[in-house]
Amino acid sequence: MRKQITSLLLTLAMLLSLVPTLGVTASAAETWVTVNSFDDLKTAVKNKQEYIKLGQDIDTTSYNDGTGLLKRDELTFNDVYYYCTLDLNGKTLALVGNDTNISPGIYIGGYSHLTIQDNSPEKTGKISGAFSNVFGGQSAKLIRVNGGTLTLEGGTFTV
């Protein structure tokens, strides 16, 4: 009887020691930030949000008074161990640049990791790119990976 009580108390003590761990795990749930404009998306990336979801189609054609993306507008994932998941959510992210000072629409470097997915039922999410006025042997790149990693779990790319 004494051994059973001791065994029961030890089991109870072990279970109670797990309670704080379970509480931390529950509070670390994914928190998605929904973006509805390119400015919202740039801010979310700049603030190193881990989970970003498109709330509507985003087209940068009229960005910068019709010039489209400039070098300064590049979505840069370039911080040590910045992990981000971008859910296209069935929407289109159109990265357009009409200036000679072009850059990749998305840059991944510095051990950062970007996962692109499409969790919509339709699976119609895509990232498209259109870059004009490229000169001097330069080439336009929709996404440039240099030291980071990119995982495509859903969605499509078109250039």
Side-chain angles (χ1 to χ4, degrees):
M1 181 74 169
R2 183 185 233 183
K3 287 182 180 182
Q4 287 178 339
I5 292 174
T6 304
S7 175
L8 183 63
L9 287 175
L10 283 173
T11 303
L12 185 60
M14 287 178 15
L15 287 174
L16 289 176
S17 70
L18 292 176
V19 172
T21 305
L22 295 174
V24 170
T25 304
S27 66
E30 297 174 359
T31 303
W32 287 89
V33 173
T34 302
V35 297
N36 294 306
S37 69
F38 188 71
D39 285 330
D40 290 348
L41 180 57
K42 274 183 24 177
T43 300
V45 171
K46 183 180 176 184
N47 292 337
K48 297 179 183 26
Q49 297 293 326
E50 290 184 56
Y51 301 98
I52 304 170
K53 179 187 295 191
L54 297 185
Q56 62 185 29
D57 292 339
I58 297 175
D59 187 349
T60 61
T61 304
S62 61
Y63 207 70
N64 291 313
D65 297 323
T67 304
L69 297 178
L70 300 173
K71 175 85 175 139
R72 67 176 184 236
D73 301 317
E74 178 178 86
L75 297 173
T76 303
F77 302 84
N78 190 25
D79 196 11
V80 177
Y81 306 115
Y82 171 32
Y83 288 80
C84 181
T85 301
L86 175 63
D87 183 2
L88 299 174
N89 195 28
K91 311 295 188 242
T92 298
L93 173 60
L95 303 173
V96 179
N98 296 310
D99 189 71
T100 55
N101 186 18
I102 61 164
S103 70
I106 299 173
Y107 176 80
I108 307 163
Y111 303 106
S112 291
H113 180 82
L114 175 62
T115 299
I116 298 173
Q117 62 187 24
D118 182 8
N119 285 328
S120 69
E122 305 83 21
K123 304 296 184 205
T124 55
K126 70 178 178 179
I127 297 177
S128 66
F131 303 97
S132 61
N133 294 332
V134 179
F135 76 120
Q138 295 181 13
S139 62
K141 297 175 179 87
L142 179 60
I143 297 177
R144 181 172 174 228
V145 180
N146 183 21
T149 57
L150 171 66
T151 302
L152 181 62
E153 292 180 351
T156 57
F157 292 158
T158 58
V159 179

